[in-house]
Amino acid sequence: MLPRNPNPFTFLNPAPTAQANTTQQPVPAVLGGGTGPIEGRPPGPIWAHQGFTAFPPIIAIDVTQEGAKANTVYNPGVPSSLNSGIDPTASFHPRFHPNLPDQGPLALWTFNGTLPPKLMIGRYAEPILFREHNKLPADRTQNGGFGIHTITTHEHNGHHGAENDGFTGAFFFPGQFYDYHYPIVLAGRNSINTAATDPRAGSPNGSGGIIKVPGDWHETMSTHWFHDHMFSFTSQNVYKGMAGMFNIYSALDRGNEAINDGVNLRLPSGTANDFGNLDYDVNLMLADKAWDSNGQLVFDIFQTDGFLGDVMTVNLAYRPFFEVERRKYRFRILNGAVARFFKIALSDGSPMIFIANDGNLMPSPVVLTELDEQGIAERYDIVIDFSRYSIGQKVWMVNLAEHEDGKLPSKDLSLSEALSGSSSDPCVGKFLEFRIVRDPAKPDVSQVPAVMIPNPDLSTIAVTRQRTFIFGDGAKQTTNDPVTSFRGPWGIGTDGGDQLDADFGRVSAAPGFGTREIWTLRNDGGGWDHPIHIHFEEGQILARNGSASNVPAWEKGRKDVYRLRPDGSVTITMQFRDFGGMFMEHCHNTTHEDNAMLLRWEIDNGGSPFLRPLPTPIPTPQGVTFRNPDDILPTAF
Ligand SMILES: [Cu+2]
């Protein structure tokens, strides 16, 4: 877990500032020499933290991005008995398995340079200042063959100002830091429940009660993750280990199963702390990896369909087991792969209760014996009741989705096919062993209520615009900027225009602040699937392939990643409110994203200091300059 340090203004040195800190420091010769700012955030008012005065940071999280090293401060947040007996005082090696070698500092780059991957804990009404130091090698050839030392961290799907969104072009250099300010507010705070009278719009107060906050309680979010978003290098950097998870606690989703106040949903978690108990609430980050004959992580940078690994990892552990008690557990499952889809079942075919999609609790739970395919970056929260098993029994999580290449799953196998070992895909089959070891010391008082979080009602909000985005290959590039423009087979066509390669200097859409729009995302072909991520606001799926009846029960909540399916389309609605700036829409098959299926959209008329359009940041080690957009699509505004 990442340490939560109260009061960033005394804990962090220098103290965080609303605008980027441009104090100068020497720049290494390999990065061009001279001097540059200590903070890599673009300078000036446009990239100042929005709401820095209204939401002053209360918690400081101070992290590095660096090469692999032993973890001497491992804190799982639970007793060793609930963590499969791991001794947290023993040094935790940067390795995928006890019988595999340590990863070298050029192969594995992670938050704080250590394993396991980090979990950030937050709650509404407690703004976080996340200071990230870039301690990667200044020489960009020192990367173990893949990855780049310039980084930008996206808090997926944070409802924050764009300066804190990890914009792909707002990257920073070795020797610099970047302050991300996460206000952690409910969407709609400026228009809904503005007097903060509804206890369902709230946060745990630390002593069993609720701090009421403005905003729409239907927009409460739970399971996020954070990861690198470097332009055209996201796949390599995330694969190297630049990813963690982020649990957000609220009045509804307290992380305490015992508090019975009529608001708390009492989902499986634990009771020791007021909020954020992890005893029975477990994050699982799935990712396929590959290593060389020396056991070091490897990646194929020339594979543009989508890189696939041949070994499954969970929280970067290979062949893991997890000891569980005979009771209910919540699992927050993240697909943290580059290009692989998963489809999860239990080895005995028994049911799982699907409670959250992309970090948003469902209107109602859905009982499933096989989850839907899970695209890259999607989060599925499920509850498994282990009380049906006997002590000494084992059950496994099984992957049913078989890949032949990185374009899409080639086949979803039946459970018996997946367990038979006949698949040519080594990532099919059992990948996580649960060992049922004992009865719980205290009775399981957790619940899965029949009603959780109904969708926000948008019916009275006029639809200002409809836009269409087509995702395909054979795209073209109309710009040639050495920093912002990239060429690749993949691209996005906007509102009937040509399919274009990514240029973070191009404005493809610019919804008006405070409006609602309907966007249709269309797959240009049947030979691939694309999990499309739209930053900043949660969407509701109105239709698949043009019909509301095609939307499955588990997609009837809010989402931030939309799998298009072969030849498919998804129609969604979303609002644009609370904060402004430049955001992104892209395929989260990160190989596709990097090659170059990504576009920039912006909310830029929310008031001073926003310009129409926003200037593009151009980072250098000596400082960030700004340039007018390379291109503005005719339908953007
Ligand atoms: Cu894609």
Side-chain angles (χ1 to χ4, degrees):
M1 254 195 322
L2 288 170
R4 290 161 50 88
N5 297 290
N7 198 346
F9 296 99
T10 54
F11 181 79
L12 296 172
N13 182 23
T17 49
Q19 291 187 18
N21 188 330
T22 56
T23 302
Q24 297 292 296
Q25 65 182 355
V27 173
V30 69
L31 291 174
T35 66
I38 59 173
E39 182 174 6
R41 180 161 46 120
I46 296 172
W47 286 78
H49 297 306
Q50 297 170 63
F52 196 67
T53 308
F55 315 112
I58 294 173
I59 295 291
I61 293 179
D62 198 24
V63 300
T64 62
Q65 191 61 253
E66 61 182 301
K69 62 181 187 184
N71 186 350
T72 56
V73 293
Y74 174 49
N75 171 17
V78 297
S80 160
S81 61
L82 293 168
N83 194 31
S84 302
I86 292 174
D87 174 6
T89 64
S91 180
F92 202 107
H93 284 258
R95 52 175 72 151
F96 296 107
H97 187 278
N99 297 337
L100 284 164
D102 284 10
Q103 295 298 300
L106 303 188
L108 187 75
W109 291 350
T110 72
F111 288 93
N112 291 346
T114 57
L115 295 181
K118 301 301 175 285
L119 174 65
M120 178 159 57
I121 297 284
R123 56 176 159 166
Y124 282 91
E126 191 175 65
I128 289 172
L129 196 294
F130 184 92
R131 175 167 292 177
E132 182 174 1
H133 302 267
N134 185 337
K135 291 194 175 178
L136 297 172
D139 178 354
R140 67 179 282 177
T141 67
Q142 298 299 300
N143 69 346
F146 61 98
I148 196 167
H149 64 184
T150 44
I151 55 178
T152 169
T153 295
H154 173 47
E155 198 278 86
H156 181 131
N157 195 47
H159 194 71
H160 316 309
E163 65 282 359
N164 306 301
D165 193 52
F167 183 69
T168 196
F171 50 87
F172 61 109
F173 290 83
Q176 295 184 321
F177 68 86
Y178 193 121
D179 279 353
Y180 297 96
H181 174 224
Y182 305 143
I184 318 186
V185 297
L186 286 172
R189 67 176 312 284
N190 296 320
S191 55
I192 299 168
N193 182 36
T194 52
T197 54
D198 190 331
R200 292 170 295 186
S203 187
N205 74 351
S207 55
I210 292 171
I211 303 167
K212 290 185 273 191
V213 302
D216 186 351
W217 65 273
H218 304 89
E219 296 285 5
T220 303
M221 298 193 280
S222 298
T223 306
H224 283 197
W225 66 303
F226 53 99
H227 62 82
D228 184 67
H229 217 304
M230 176 65 202
F231 187 60
S232 75
F233 283 89
T234 296
S235 58
Q236 299 174 45
N237 280 359
V238 173
Y239 180 82
K240 277 181 100 71
M242 297 186 194
M245 292 187 74
F246 180 25
N247 293 354
I248 304 174
Y249 295 96
S250 58
L252 294 159
D253 194 6
R254 207 76 62 88
N256 182 316
E257 64 199 33
I259 296 173
N260 185 7
D261 60 5
V263 174
N264 181 20
L265 295 169
R266 304 182 63 187
L267 295 163
S269 44
T271 59
N273 304 312
D274 175 60
F275 73 98
N277 289 290
L278 300 172
D279 304 15
Y280 308 108
D281 180 354
V282 180
N283 294 72
L284 303 177
M285 181 194 295
L286 313 187
D288 52 327
K289 300 289 178 188
W291 39 77
D292 63 16
S293 56
N294 297 318
Q296 297 295 304
L297 206 50
V298 287
F299 187 89
D300 179 359
I301 61 173
F302 300 106
Q303 172 55 261
T304 58
D305 282 347
F307 172 83
L308 296 177
D310 60 0
V311 287
M312 275 292 284
T313 65
V314 181
N315 297 341
L316 298 182
Y318 174 56
R319 293 192 171 165
F321 67 87
F322 185 57
E323 295 178 352
V324 296
E325 298 180 345
R326 295 183 61 246
R327 53 154 290 154
K328 294 192 288 301
Y329 281 70
R330 173 184 185 165
F331 293 100
R332 306 180 190 235
I333 306 168
L334 163 69
N335 181 342
V338 169
R340 182 180 284 278
F341 291 57
F342 301 108
K343 183 173 173 63
I344 292 173
L346 292 173
S347 56
D348 62 348
S350 59
M352 301 163 280
I353 310 173
F354 185 89
I355 60 167
N357 198 330
D358 290 352
N360 305 298
L361 286 167
M362 296 293 298
S364 294
V366 184
V367 177
L368 298 168
T369 53
E370 293 178 2
L371 306 187
D372 198 354
E373 288 179 353
Q374 183 172 4
I376 301 91
E378 286 190 293
R379 284 88 66 219
Y380 289 168
D381 288 20
I382 61 169
V383 171
I384 299 177
D385 189 350
F386 293 102
S387 69
R388 63 185 165 226
Y389 303 108
S390 317
I391 293 169
Q393 267 192 294
K394 294 179 180 179
V395 65
W396 287 262
M397 264 189 191
V398 178
N399 177 29
L400 308 177
E402 180 179 89
H403 275 264
E404 289 173 357
D405 56 40
K407 294 176 180 173
L408 79 172
S410 53
K411 194 180 175 200
D412 288 333
L413 303 180
S414 70
L415 181 59
S416 58
E417 285 173 324
L419 291 171
S420 72
S422 62
S423 173
S424 58
D425 181 347
C427 291
V428 160
K430 296 174 179 175
F431 65 89
L432 172 58
E433 174 182 318
F434 294 109
R435 298 177 181 173
I436 293 86
V437 295
R438 62 178 168 265
D439 287 316
K442 289 198 286 186
D444 177 4
V445 297
S446 69
Q447 301 179 354
V448 182
V451 176
M452 294 187 291
I453 305 185
N455 279 341
D457 179 8
L458 276 54
S459 61
T460 61
I461 303 167
V463 175
T464 305
R465 279 283 290 271
Q466 304 216 22
R467 302 178 197 264
T468 302
F469 302 93
I470 299 183
F471 298 80
D473 62 353
K476 67 176 189 180
Q477 185 56 288
T478 58
T479 59
N480 195 24
D481 185 292
V483 179
T484 69
S485 178
F486 196 81
R487 286 173 195 277
W490 304 100
I492 307 172
T494 302
D495 291 330
D498 290 334
Q499 287 185 23
L500 298 177
D501 290 339
D503 178 350
F504 71 77
R506 176 189 296 119
V507 183
S508 293
F513 182 84
T515 66
R516 171 191 173 198
E517 298 195 355
I518 289 177
W519 291 9
T520 296
L521 317 174
R522 190 179 305 282
N523 193 338
D524 191 31
W528 42 78
D529 199 350
H530 302 291
I532 304 303
H533 175 40
I534 301 173
H535 288 219
F536 184 58
E537 269 263 352
E538 317 303 297
Q540 294 180 40
I541 300 182
L542 301 176
R544 276 194 171 274
N545 303 333
S547 171
S549 62
N550 292 330
V551 182
W554 52 87
E555 288 191 338
K556 288 185 173 165
R558 296 156 289 143
K559 291 272 296 164
D560 59 56
V561 179
Y562 312 93
R563 271 170 296 111
L564 303 187
R565 299 180 185 168
D567 282 321
S569 75
V570 177
T571 302
I572 66 159
T573 186
M574 38 192 301
Q575 300 178 80
F576 306 92
R577 50 187 175 168
D578 303 321
F579 298 101
M582 57 184 69
F583 297 97
M584 290 167 282
E585 171 184 344
H586 61 88
C587 185
H588 224 300
N589 174 328
T590 48
T591 304
H592 298 179
E593 170 187 346
D594 288 343
N595 292 287
M597 194 179 256
L598 174 145
L599 62 75
R600 157 183 162 189
W601 60 272
E602 58 192 52
I603 308 172
D604 57 5
N605 53 350
S608 175
F610 290 99
L611 308 175
R612 277 171 68 93
L614 287 160
T616 305
I618 307 292
T620 77
Q622 289 74 26
V624 183
T625 58
F626 291 98
R627 203 181 281 168
N628 287 330
D630 292 336
D631 189 14
I632 300 172
L633 296 186
T635 55
F637 284 90

